[in-house]
Amino acid sequence: MTKVTDTVQRVTDRIIARSEATRRTYLHTMEAARAKGPARAHLSCSGQAHAYAASGPDKDRLTGTSAGNLGIVTAYNDMLSAHQPFERFPDLIRQAAREAGGTAQVAGGVPAMCDGVTQGEAGMELSLFSRDVIALAASVALSHNTFDAAVFLGVCDKIVPGLVIAAQAFGHLPAVFLPAGPMQSGLPNDEKAKVRQQFANGEVGRDALMQAEMASYHGPGTCTFYGTANTNQMLMEFMGLHLPGSSFVTPNTGLRDALTREGAKRALGLSALGNDYTPVCGILDERAFVNGIVGLNATGGSTNLLIHLIAMARAGGILLDWQDFSELSEVTPLMARVYPNGLADVNHFHAAGGLGYMIGELLKAGMLHPDTRTVAGTGLEHYTRDPVLSDGHLCWRDGTGQSLNEKILRPVSDPFQPTGGLKRLAGSLGTAVMKISAVTAEHQIVEAPVRVFHDQDEVKAAFKAGELTGDVIVVVRFQGPKANGMPELHSLTPVLSILQGRGQKVALVTDGRMSGASGKVPAAIHVSPEAVEGGPIARLRDGDLLRVDATQGTLDILTSGISDRPAVTAELSANTAGTGRELFAMFRNTVGSATTGASIFGG
């Protein structure tokens, strides 16, 4: 077994030491919950009758001895293409549970919103908060304490992190995460991006834009670019909560259905009623989170996970910080080029060898902890194998030992770049992070005067008015979690890309977020302290000089005297009502900073 590198071990040891007290408390709580066990048999007769009234052919097993009762927590809706396939999953899971001698019930549903629909709209201000709502809703679903194990059905941006937070609250139970898979490839992402830029530049009309968008997002399944949703799926394999090789199998296929059924059986097999008890709290330890961070860097994944992973870890008593991400990024080779970091989509990535090849390479290089517990058994080596149907039966075979397309996926010995896709920035403006996997070297340092905005629509208006000339750093502030829920600002990407394409040096600096689809324009995001808390970003004025340096990891104000200015305050009443925002005042008032996961749970 290959020994992990010194950096991986050093960062892991630091996380373990930092988390010692909180992790010990969490594990003690989980042991107490395990000792009590499911209260199903101890419910009153009335309580049991309520729980089993609609269970039909499963009633006898629920009231007697069985292989366990499986709770299904689903994020199904048919507005999200990624989640529409989940409509069929409960029937598949129930039948699989019966075949294993157990039962399964839909414990509850959780909301699932689409950032693609709300991008640039008021609803985006609920997006990040929806993660914690999902965690709360999933906890309510499992609170009946009638389940021996759980399966979680979710794919997209905040849904998987929210479900993981809830799974850790019930960490004494085993859990398997069941993905739906990506949609079939449609219009190539680079062609769609070209049409978006043409529309932003006034070169084509909305009819051409709509045609391109519909040809790209065209059927059931996850969007095929490597944004937050597909980064989530990668993490669930690297961290051991998916069945091996299951992330990028397309929906409504025989293999997808077989993996769903096997996931249900596996969840029951991991319960305390069997001989292979493997609770979530035993899988998601410090080493699993380090493996996830390495996977995030090696794939050039979404910046949203810099927030989500911190919140997910804290739910299990593990304390991560951005320095952990940055140090691991410095030694993790970028092995994949998937749009927006390249031209390929996740289907092409999967065909080239996918996660199985990548995990095998990283294990051989000592970049991953090899002996973590997973739902497939102890050892991440399980995740180097591919699922296949043989004579109608699901089995796993050894994955490819070499990349099948080195334009998409490369070995550790010959990566696209020697370091990962994420960089921590720190300096006189505060701390921030940048995704650099798609930012070319000549654009990684920008020193320029700023234009300050309090709204992304103001940026677009300035662009249309021809005001953004010359080198410029666009500062969009009052976009942090306490100000307005920290919306993604991805709708600015076409505008900033046009400026960059004109030969201007351009960067974005914001206390808000960018999408997992952020790409070629350098964006220093998640700036902390945020403007509403009086951070230095609230003292900037038009014309002040900033230096954004992703090579050195710095974010500095070059104009003197700024710290002596009063912090600007903003009129934020427009963010407090409409589209449900009035119901989230408590979240804005209690949310923690981006550096602690931007969560309402002890941030």
Side-chain angles (χ1 to χ4, degrees):
M1 185 178 293
T2 304
K3 181 182 177 182
V4 297
T5 66
D6 290 343
T7 299
V8 170
Q9 191 60 58
R10 183 183 71 251
V11 172
T12 305
D13 290 343
R14 185 174 66 213
I15 294 168
I16 290 171
R18 184 192 301 140
S19 311
E20 194 274 332
T22 50
R23 181 67 174 169
R24 183 177 65 248
T25 299
Y26 170 75
L27 291 176
H28 177 75
T29 302
M30 292 304 103
E31 176 56 30
R34 186 206 64 79
K36 291 180 180 179
R40 185 167 62 256
H42 306 293
L43 288 173
S44 68
C45 293
S46 175
Q48 291 193 56
H50 276 88
Y52 313 150
S55 59
D58 294 325
K59 279 187 180 182
D60 290 343
R61 283 179 177 158
L62 283 165
T63 55
T65 302
S66 77
N69 188 33
L70 186 60
I72 304 169
V73 180
T74 178
Y76 162 73
N77 65 49
D78 61 11
M79 191 275 293
L80 272 71
S81 62
H83 287 197
Q84 186 274 338
F86 288 138
E87 184 175 20
R88 299 174 53 244
F89 277 34
D91 284 340
L92 293 170
I93 293 165
R94 277 189 284 263
Q95 185 56 43
R98 290 166 187 151
E99 291 172 2
T103 55
Q105 296 176 287
V106 173
V110 303
M113 65 180 290
C114 179
D115 288 1
V117 175
T118 59
Q119 197 68 242
E121 302 293 331
M124 175 54 75
E125 295 179 14
L126 305 186
S127 171
L128 182 58
F129 291 149
S130 75
R131 180 196 63 198
D132 292 359
V133 172
I134 288 160
L136 294 168
S139 296
V140 171
L142 295 176
S143 67
H144 299 94
N145 200 26
T146 64
F147 304 107
D148 302 286
V151 290
F152 292 89
L153 313 183
V155 173
C156 288
D157 299 43
K158 278 71 50 199
I159 293 92
V160 168
L163 293 175
V164 170
I165 291 170
Q168 296 218 88
F170 291 81
H172 62 291
L173 294 178
V176 175
F177 279 62
L178 300 178
M183 69 177 66
Q184 299 283 348
S185 299
L187 180 73
N189 286 297
D190 59 321
E191 293 185 28
K192 175 191 66 182
K194 185 184 299 183
V195 176
R196 284 180 173 178
Q197 284 202 29
Q198 289 172 335
F199 177 76
N201 219 17
E203 297 170 8
V204 300
R206 184 167 293 275
D207 56 341
L209 177 64
M210 177 60 76
Q211 184 178 0
E213 298 287 357
M214 294 294 286
S216 179
Y217 307 116
H218 62 92
T222 315
C223 305
T224 58
F225 64 85
Y226 195 55
T228 310
N230 286 318
T231 304
N232 286 339
Q233 305 315 295
M234 173 277 298
L235 284 171
M236 292 300 95
E237 291 210 31
F238 270 77
M239 297 174 71
L241 290 177
H242 273 180
L243 292 179
S246 63
S247 294
F248 301 132
V249 175
T250 50
N252 303 319
T253 59
L255 181 56
R256 175 84 278 156
D257 288 353
L259 286 163
T260 298
R261 289 190 293 266
E262 181 61 25
K265 293 177 181 179
R266 186 62 182 154
L268 286 173
L270 298 175
S271 81
L273 298 175
N275 298 319
D276 194 17
Y277 176 56
T278 308
V280 167
C281 65
I283 291 176
L284 295 182
D285 63 8
E286 295 89 345
R287 297 170 305 157
F289 277 96
V290 168
N291 285 351
I293 295 170
V294 170
L296 180 65
N297 280 291
T299 58
S302 168
T303 55
N304 282 326
L305 271 301
L306 290 161
I307 293 175
H308 295 326
L309 273 167
I310 290 174
M312 290 156 62
R314 282 177 170 252
I318 297 170
L319 306 179
L320 304 177
D321 67 32
W322 287 345
Q323 189 61 31
D324 302 326
F325 291 79
S326 190
E327 289 184 25
L328 290 170
S329 179
E330 287 297 320
V331 298
T332 303
L334 181 68
M335 298 172 63
R337 285 288 193 202
V338 187
Y339 188 85
N341 306 329
L343 299 181
D345 66 23
V346 293
N347 293 316
H348 304 137
F349 166 78
H350 186 62
L355 297 178
Y357 170 76
M358 177 176 280
I359 289 172
E361 281 285 297
L362 291 167
L363 282 170
K364 287 187 289 186
M367 291 303 304
L368 297 171
H369 290 284
D371 53 349
T372 52
R373 299 175 75 185
T374 78
V375 298
T378 298
L380 206 56
E381 189 72 24
H382 289 287
Y383 289 80
T384 65
R385 309 183 73 201
D386 294 330
V388 294
L389 286 178
S390 178
D391 296 326
H393 298 286
L394 179 65
C395 60
W396 274 263
R397 67 185 181 193
D398 290 340
T400 178
Q402 62 183 25
S403 171
L404 303 180
N405 187 335
E406 290 201 359
K407 294 180 180 179
I408 300 170
L409 185 60
R410 287 188 181 174
V412 166
S413 60
D414 183 28
F416 290 101
Q417 61 188 48
T419 59
L422 301 170
K423 190 79 172 184
R424 177 180 181 266
L425 309 179
S428 53
L429 194 68
T431 61
V433 289
M434 183 185 291
K435 179 176 176 178
I436 59 173
S437 51
V439 180
T440 57
E442 65 267 27
H443 292 136
Q444 291 188 12
I445 301 174
V446 179
E447 184 176 308
V450 304
R451 280 292 307 272
V452 181
F453 302 93
H454 292 178
D455 184 277
Q456 56 188 315
D457 289 335
E458 293 176 358
V459 181
K460 297 173 190 175
F463 169 77
K464 289 180 180 178
E467 298 174 8
L468 300 180
T469 58
D471 296 345
V472 63
I473 294 177
V474 174
V475 174
V476 188
R477 62 190 179 192
F478 295 100
Q479 303 298 309
K482 289 183 179 295
N484 63 347
M486 206 177 190
E488 290 180 353
L489 305 177
H490 180 53
S491 65
L492 295 180
T493 297
V495 167
L496 299 177
S497 297
I498 289 170
L499 298 180
Q500 188 182 72
R502 291 173 179 170
Q504 298 170 234
K505 283 201 167 187
V506 60
L508 173 69
V509 172
T510 180
D511 49 9
R513 294 185 292 145
M514 284 293 281
S515 166
S518 55
K520 298 177 181 179
V521 176
I525 60 176
H526 307 176
V527 171
S528 297
E530 63 174 289
V532 80
E533 291 188 310
I537 194 173
R539 292 173 165 80
L540 294 176
R541 298 174 183 166
D542 287 350
D544 290 338
L545 285 178
L546 284 187
R547 180 179 175 89
V548 179
D549 188 338
T551 62
Q552 298 297 316
T554 57
L555 180 62
D556 286 314
I557 304 169
L558 302 183
T559 301
S560 61
I562 289 180
S563 61
D564 298 326
R565 297 176 187 167
V568 171
T569 58
E571 170 54 54
L572 301 177
S573 61
N575 302 332
T576 62
T579 325
R581 287 176 291 178
E582 53 267 59
L583 304 179
F584 284 76
M586 178 186 70
F587 284 69
R588 292 188 294 272
N589 293 337
T590 61
V591 66
S593 70
T595 57
T596 59
S599 173
I600 63 169
F601 305 128

